[in-house]
Amino acid sequence: MKGLKNKVVVVTGGAGGIGSATCRRLAEEGAKVAIFDMNLEAAEKLASEINNQHGQALAVQCDITQSDVVEQAVQQIEAELGPIDGLVNNAGWDIFKPFVKSNPQEWDKLIQINLVGMLNMHFAVLKGMVERNSGSIVNIASDAARVGSSGEAVYAACKGGLLSFSKTLAREHSRNNIKINVICPGPTDTALLAGVTEGASNPEKLREAFVRAIPLGRLGQPEDLASSIAFFLSDDASFITGQVLSVSGGLTMNG
């Protein structure tokens, strides 16, 4: 893809399923990848793998729910890799539970990770992009935000907020040549999905139901998302902003 070589891209939740696939794909395209993750050991292992394959990656332990920690992490990346050209807000957490059986402590954790965390990341990174009059952001939401999803009410609310926030920022910063787009995964074969299904009374039956509902007949793989993320970050998408793309195997279709 055009325009990714030597670009500095931060990926939150970078050591997880979709995050690690994205980091590998971006490194293959020649980008310098900053892997933000709470799990420093996993992030360092991935960074080592990428660096050993002649890519360039740096692992940073970062709790995105803490604004001061985020600011420090962004400063570290810019000191060691250079100005940030791209941001992928991928970190997330979910539980599978009817709303009336959930509790305020769970709501708070969902909101902090899925909504407040991405606000912190935008606030820390956008300032530099505005100064440089250039940048690209890809936010990972969910089809739960577009069509709803039983058992994921607060998660869907957070991701719905991310859609509106992204479109608003895309309008605000189009004059700064900053592109902001959203990808909505459908059911994807990651640890997050495994955690969600484990909360069901019959996890295997739920997993099979997901597969049956997908027209293409399989769960999404992290690499399916990574290619779309790389496209939105690349110069091939230079005239695309404020858009929402479902990568779901046809699970949701909305023109």
Side-chain angles (χ1 to χ4, degrees):
M1 294 179 183
K2 296 179 181 177
L4 286 174
K5 189 174 179 61
N6 294 321
K7 292 292 181 67
V8 177
V9 182
V10 173
V11 181
T12 69
I18 294 172
S20 61
T22 299
C23 290
R24 291 187 183 97
R25 177 59 187 271
L26 293 173
E28 289 173 3
E29 297 286 348
K32 302 175 184 178
V33 183
I35 307 167
F36 280 23
D37 206 285
M38 288 287 288
N39 188 337
L40 181 59
E41 182 179 356
E44 288 179 334
K45 181 178 180 181
L46 177 60
S48 178
E49 172 193 324
I50 290 172
N51 292 328
N52 288 337
Q53 294 176 353
H54 307 294
Q56 190 169 355
L58 179 64
V60 178
Q61 188 174 44
C62 183
D63 180 354
I64 61 171
T65 69
Q66 304 299 314
S67 59
D68 57 337
V69 173
V70 169
E71 291 284 355
Q72 291 171 8
V74 166
Q75 290 173 12
Q76 178 184 345
I77 290 304
E78 294 190 330
E80 298 190 35
L81 294 181
I84 295 171
D85 302 292
L87 168 64
V88 181
N89 280 301
N90 167 72
W93 180 75
D94 195 12
I95 53 173
F96 193 81
K97 184 183 292 187
F99 178 68
V100 295
K101 294 184 178 180
S102 64
N103 60 67
Q105 291 74 31
E106 291 168 338
W107 309 342
D108 185 61
K109 184 175 180 180
L110 284 161
I111 293 168
Q112 286 295 316
I113 295 173
N114 296 304
L115 191 57
V116 174
M118 70 88 186
L119 293 176
N120 289 334
M121 288 302 307
H122 279 86
F123 193 74
V125 170
L126 264 174
K127 291 175 287 186
M129 289 182 172
V130 169
E131 290 176 1
R132 294 185 293 275
N133 215 46
S134 178
S136 182
I137 297 174
V138 180
N139 291 320
I140 311 304
S142 170
D143 267 355
R146 299 174 62 245
V147 299
S149 178
S150 298
E152 300 180 281
V154 180
Y155 176 81
C158 294
K159 294 301 188 178
L162 178 55
L163 297 188
S164 300
F165 180 77
S166 299
K167 290 181 179 182
T168 299
L169 284 191
R171 289 187 180 278
E172 287 184 1
H173 292 292
S174 58
R175 70 191 66 184
N176 305 118
N177 193 36
I178 298 170
K179 296 168 290 294
I180 302 172
N181 292 291
V182 182
I183 288 178
C184 288
T188 306
D189 198 7
T190 64
L192 180 61
L193 180 66
V196 168
T197 56
E198 284 171 7
S201 58
N202 189 329
E204 191 55 38
K205 185 177 181 180
L206 178 60
R207 185 181 175 92
E208 291 173 0
F210 280 141
V211 173
R212 286 196 304 271
I214 298 171
L216 288 182
R218 65 174 176 86
L219 291 175
Q221 297 300 311
E223 291 75 17
D224 295 323
L225 280 301
S227 57
S228 298
I229 293 167
F231 167 71
F232 272 141
L233 290 170
S234 75
D235 288 350
D236 289 329
S238 62
F239 199 56
I240 302 174
T241 192
Q243 302 305 306
V244 179
L245 174 67
S246 174
V247 182
S248 64
L251 179 63
T252 62
M253 299 185 187
N254 187 9

